[in-house]
Amino acid sequence: MEYITAVSGMADAIYNILHTTIRTVYPEYYPKEVVDFFCHHHSKEHILDGIATGNMGVLSDGDVIAGTGCFFDNHITGVYVLPCYQGQGCGSQIMDCLEAEISKKYDKAILDASLPGVCLYEHRGYKTVGHGLYELENNVKLVYEIMEKALNGN
């Protein structure tokens, strides 16, 4: 598998990764309002904005794009892997690449962890430093972990 910088022609594949993963995995952890929020948040426009920064990448398995990751400054803004590729080290490979880029300029990485990702991040040495709260429709609350990790590259 190879991690490369995303280009605009990959937007549909990235959209598919995000929405397939969210609609498949998130209902095991979150109510419908949270699933819908994440799908709405990860619109094609949002993806194209991420690609335009040059900080979004994809993990490819031949002709298949299996996962994606993105960062802004020292904040990892997303890591998603198609469900059929989960549990095979893809998320860790994406995280290795994101952390390597971040460590060129920063001493630590920060991320907002959804419930499905917390264990992956903890295994990678991230520590919870706070909690975020986002209020959604129908009095539903999205609670997430704010996590950080010291990086040795700087």
Side-chain angles (χ1 to χ4, degrees), residues 26 30 68-70 75-81 90-96 98-99 109-128 144-150:
Y26 282 32
Y30 294 118
T68 185
C70 192
H75 190 169
I76 295 172
T77 58
V79 174
Y80 289 87
V81 174
C90 295
S92 291
Q93 188 173 348
I94 293 169
M95 289 294 294
D96 288 344
L98 297 175
E99 289 172 358
I110 300 168
L111 56 81
D112 299 335
S114 63
L115 291 175
V118 169
C119 288
L120 167 68
Y121 303 132
E122 285 178 343
H123 288 320
R124 295 188 59 83
Y126 283 81
K127 303 290 183 200
T128 299
Y144 55 92
E145 308 267 332
I146 301 167
M147 304 180 84
E148 65 181 43
K149 174 183 175 181

Side-chain angles (χ1 to χ4, degrees), residues 54-97:
N55 296 335
M56 180 176 275
V58 296
L59 185 66
S60 63
D61 181 17
D63 292 337
V64 176
I65 297 177
T68 185
C70 192
F71 70 97
F72 180 76
D73 291 333
N74 70 329
H75 190 169
I76 295 172
T77 58
V79 174
Y80 289 87
V81 174
L82 284 171
C84 61
Y85 282 89
Q86 291 178 6
Q88 300 174 35
C90 295
S92 291
Q93 188 173 348
I94 293 169
M95 289 294 294
D96 288 344
C97 295

